[in-house]
Amino acid sequence: MTDPLTTDLDRALGFTIPARQARGRVVRLGPLIDTILSAHDYPAPIEALLGEALTLAALIGSTLKDAGGQLTMQAQTRSGVVTLLVCDYRGGELRGYVQYDADKLAVAPENPSLFALFGTEGHLAITFDQATTGERYQGIVPLDGSTIAEAVQSYFAQSEQIPTLARTGFGKRADGRRFAGGLLLQHLPEGEEGRDRIHTRLDHPEWEHVAVLGSTMGVDELTDPALRLETLVWRLFNEESEVRILAELPLVKGCRCSPDYIAQVLGQFPADEQRAMADADGVISVDCAFCATKFPILVSEIAS
């Protein structure tokens, strides 16, 4: 018998609506996000924040045409509860972590707002690294909305001039399993064939129609693993003359740390600095912030 809680998880699905000159992505995360979050044992507000960010990274990253390209999302502030949040996507692999002040979180409201977590100086940086050309693009926007999804919408409106709707949902079942889902809609009035986007408008009637429909998607639908992603797209746009479903993309937890890689990085330090980093047994302990794994590296085994 099929488990309804593992039906449609850890994948992204793209689609286009030609008549509305719009494109979209839907994602659903299950074991992937559960594994990432379980490694850190975050408090509930931090867990929900990272869950939203990972979902957005999957939505945006899955739009990359460069298969080897990387998307990095980094949110930080100087004086808030959260000092740093990092997520990245590359080739269907997701990873992320959060640094936060436990003492400040303890005196924050029970369900802290984005403002309570980041304060007045919070900002979000989104960076695209193109593997094929080696080019890098980055945009930075303030975290002045109620969610990171709203900051993502502001980024695309300001940096890319692309009207965008982003919706996410995150939850935990009675058995402790975590699920997340998201929807990304974008209006490209002149298509994606190199034509000028100068006439893109937030109040374009075709975009208003798509955005209104997208706004009706509920959090319960986004996070329900028993609902296939194709069903979500159909529910929103079944009255359109044509909706083209694109190839799906499986999503996995990815962390590029390994003993060999870390030893290679340490090998770039002078021998005296390596010895200074080591303990009495000649071991350098390196923690990976992404996967919370400790790597003991013997100084004697580091190639210079």
Side-chain angles (χ1 to χ4, degrees):
M1 182 177 178
T2 301
D3 182 354
L5 295 186
T6 59
T7 300
D8 198 30
L9 300 170
D10 295 342
R11 72 180 182 118
L13 185 71
F15 60 93
T16 63
I17 311 170
R20 301 290 180 182
Q21 296 160 344
R23 71 175 181 181
R25 285 289 191 280
V26 281
V27 303
R28 175 91 39 61
L29 305 177
L32 159 60
I33 200 168
D34 206 39
T35 301
I36 293 175
L37 296 176
S38 295
H40 296 277
D41 192 26
Y42 291 124
I46 303 301
E47 189 174 80
L49 180 72
L50 183 55
E52 179 189 15
L54 286 166
T55 304
L56 290 165
L59 286 167
I60 302 169
S62 63
T63 67
L64 289 171
K65 295 180 180 179
D66 186 342
Q70 178 172 310
L71 162 82
T72 302
M73 292 175 49
Q74 183 170 307
Q76 61 186 116
T77 185
R78 295 180 180 178
S79 59
V81 172
V82 175
T83 54
L84 178 65
L85 180 153
V86 180
C87 293
D88 73 34
Y89 169 101
R90 188 176 72 177
E93 295 184 349
L94 279 173
R95 62 179 185 170
Y97 72 94
V98 180
Q99 293 178 353
Y100 67 97
D101 187 317
D103 292 335
K104 289 183 178 180
L105 180 63
V107 297
E110 183 177 355
N111 296 304
S113 64
L114 196 67
F115 176 80
L117 291 174
F118 286 93
T120 58
E121 299 179 338
H123 64 269
L124 174 70
I126 297 180
T127 307
F128 294 92
D129 289 291
Q130 305 295 332
T132 302
T133 64
E135 295 178 293
R136 166 176 283 200
Y137 306 94
Q138 184 182 74
I140 300 175
V141 292
L143 286 169
D144 54 6
S146 60
T147 64
I148 297 180
E150 290 185 11
V152 165
Q153 293 174 174
S154 296
Y155 163 81
F156 279 107
Q158 296 175 23
S159 300
E160 306 287 341
Q161 291 78 54
I162 301 176
T164 299
L165 174 72
R167 293 181 65 83
T168 64
F170 174 80
K172 183 184 289 188
R173 305 296 178 184
D175 62 2
R177 283 187 286 182
R178 306 162 181 85
F179 296 98
L183 168 70
L184 182 77
L185 292 172
Q186 295 185 310
H187 182 45
L188 304 172
E190 301 297 337
E192 295 189 270
E193 300 175 2
R195 287 173 288 177
D196 196 352
R197 293 178 183 167
I198 195 169
H199 299 298
T200 304
R201 301 198 320 269
L202 289 171
D203 62 348
H204 193 293
E206 291 175 347
W207 168 242
E208 286 186 332
H209 176 82
V210 171
V212 166
L213 290 178
S215 297
T216 65
M217 179 60 67
V219 171
D220 56 338
E221 295 173 288
L222 288 172
T223 58
D224 186 353
L227 281 175
R228 291 189 60 78
L229 299 182
E230 289 85 353
T231 301
L232 295 183
V233 176
W234 182 85
R235 284 186 175 185
L236 287 176
F237 304 112
N238 63 84
E239 295 185 0
E240 297 297 325
S241 59
E242 180 185 16
V243 177
R244 298 175 185 171
I245 299 297
L246 308 178
E248 68 170 335
L249 178 68
L251 302 170
V252 298
K253 172 185 174 291
C255 196
R256 296 182 282 280
C257 61
S258 70
D260 290 341
Y261 173 75
I262 293 173
Q264 180 183 0
V265 173
L266 292 173
Q268 299 174 16
F269 290 87
D272 58 337
E273 292 188 24
Q274 294 177 16
R275 289 191 294 269
M277 288 186 280
D279 60 18
D281 297 320
V283 175
I284 302 175
S285 294
V286 179
D287 297 346
C288 175
F290 285 101
C291 64
T293 300
K294 294 182 180 294
F295 294 89
I297 307 296
L298 282 169
V299 172
S300 60
E301 295 180 358
I302 298 174
S304 58

